[in-house]
Amino acid sequence: FDAQVTTQTQKQDGVETVLYQIAKGPRHKVAAVDVAGNQHIPAKELYPQIKVEKGHWFSHGKYSQKLVRASVKSLQGIYAAHGFANAKITPEVKNQGGNIVITFRVNEGPQDIVEALRIEGNNTVPVSKLAPNGLKLEAGKPYSQKAAVEDRNQIMAQYLNSGYLTATFRQTAREVAPHRLEVVYYINEGPQVHTATIVTLGRQHTQQAFINRDIAQIKPGRPLTESEMLTSESELYTPGIFDWAEVDPRRRITTQTQEDVV
């Protein structure tokens, strides 16, 4: 673990030689990897985040400053996901009889809790449909930006799959008491767009029925979804007979509720 590598460059008769000089240093073993100071998150949930590895019968373990820094970053990430935005992780490395003992000391700090959650702007789609499996953030749960992003991704996916191609999402978090947050999800649904007609351009030799088979999920009168357009485009490439294929609305979606698919 103390190995050092230096380089020397030598030039002679137009030939350049690079010499790597290695000083291995004494050989160590990672004798122990511990976590201390964790009160709210059990150690069994923290250990998988640690990149440093304890040695065993067939291995001296894995240790480097890079692995220590990566471990600290991962531990801070899991604490942030549990609402401990100010958690501090301090690594301690000790040499005991030539072996290395590493302890990650945790100062959890206060936990941010959702005091209340409001969703505004979902005028046509109920929350039960936007989040059929529930939201990550709810009153009484820890607050984290990671959970808010997961809620955003879930909500926006439901809108896109229901034909709301211009829907937008914005989130705010306001502290109403020390480490108690009021969270608001603001949604702008935009119009729900339905497929008007399907237009095929560029077909010269291929039968229309063959193309229709690959875009069968897009049907006039049904909501036009991003996933169905992407799937149809992928299916057109699957047979390997087209140099290029694209599936898009004829016009950019703004306020219209009907649009042709080209």
Side-chain angles (χ1 to χ4, degrees):
F1 304 130
D2 298 327
Q4 301 289 329
V5 180
T6 59
T7 59
Q8 289 184 351
T9 303
Q10 301 173 348
K11 293 183 179 179
Q12 185 176 4
D13 299 330
V15 176
E16 187 169 345
T17 303
V18 180
L19 175 65
Y20 295 92
Q21 294 182 318
I22 302 170
K24 294 187 294 185
R27 198 172 196 182
H28 304 294
K29 186 174 185 178
V30 181
V33 179
D34 295 314
V35 177
N38 55 306
Q39 299 178 10
H40 291 81
I41 303 179
K44 65 179 182 180
E45 196 172 331
L46 297 175
Y47 278 123
Q49 308 299 321
I50 298 176
K51 310 304 178 185
V52 178
E53 291 185 9
K54 180 182 176 181
H56 49 77
W57 183 258
F58 299 105
S59 170
H60 286 262
K62 291 183 179 180
Y63 168 80
S64 71
Q65 287 302 313
K66 182 178 179 181
L67 291 175
V68 171
R69 290 192 296 269
S71 300
V72 170
K73 186 176 181 180
S74 295
L75 289 171
Q76 287 176 332
I78 194 170
Y79 266 99
H82 283 75
F84 296 91
N86 298 317
K88 302 295 183 184
I89 312 296
T90 304
E92 292 183 357
V93 181
K94 295 182 179 179
N95 189 319
Q96 294 185 354
N99 293 327
I100 294 175
V101 174
I102 305 170
T103 303
F104 293 91
R105 298 203 173 273
V106 180
N107 181 358
E108 294 182 332
Q111 187 179 32
D112 295 327
I113 301 294
V114 178
E115 180 71 19
L117 173 68
R118 299 201 325 268
I119 301 177
E120 299 183 2
N122 59 317
N123 300 319
T124 62
V125 184
V127 176
S128 59
K129 185 174 181 181
L130 293 176
N133 297 321
L135 294 168
K136 298 295 183 181
L137 291 185
E138 292 179 352
K141 287 187 176 181
Y143 172 83
S144 73
Q145 190 58 37
K146 179 176 182 288
V149 169
E150 290 179 2
D151 282 346
R152 176 199 178 277
N153 292 342
Q154 180 180 199
I155 289 171
M156 290 304 298
Q158 293 295 332
Y159 271 111
L160 290 175
N161 288 330
S162 299
Y164 294 87
L165 301 182
T166 61
T168 59
F169 177 100
R170 181 170 62 90
Q171 175 251 331
T172 62
R174 181 175 66 92
E175 194 171 53
V176 295
H179 302 286
R180 307 288 295 191
L181 303 173
E182 180 187 60
V183 181
V184 183
Y185 292 163
Y186 297 96
I187 298 169
N188 183 1
E189 293 183 331
Q192 185 182 33
V193 184
H194 290 74
T195 302
T197 60
I198 301 174
V199 182
T200 303
L201 301 178
R203 181 182 67 84
Q204 298 180 13
H205 306 290
T206 308
Q207 293 184 3
Q208 184 64 45
F210 183 85
I211 296 175
N212 291 345
R213 184 194 66 182
D214 290 333
I215 59 172
Q217 59 266 47
I218 301 178
K219 297 183 183 299
R222 283 179 49 181
L224 178 59
T225 73
E226 192 77 25
S227 62
E228 288 179 350
M229 286 189 288
L230 291 173
T231 300
S232 297
E233 194 171 291
S234 176
E235 291 293 334
L236 287 170
Y237 276 110
T238 299
I241 62 174
F242 298 126
D243 289 331
W244 175 81
E246 188 173 10
V247 178
D248 280 312
R250 183 190 291 274
R251 298 175 298 167
R252 186 172 69 90
I253 303 301
T254 54
T255 59
Q256 70 268 40
T257 58
Q258 299 279 334
E259 188 52 68
D260 297 333
V261 176
V262 180

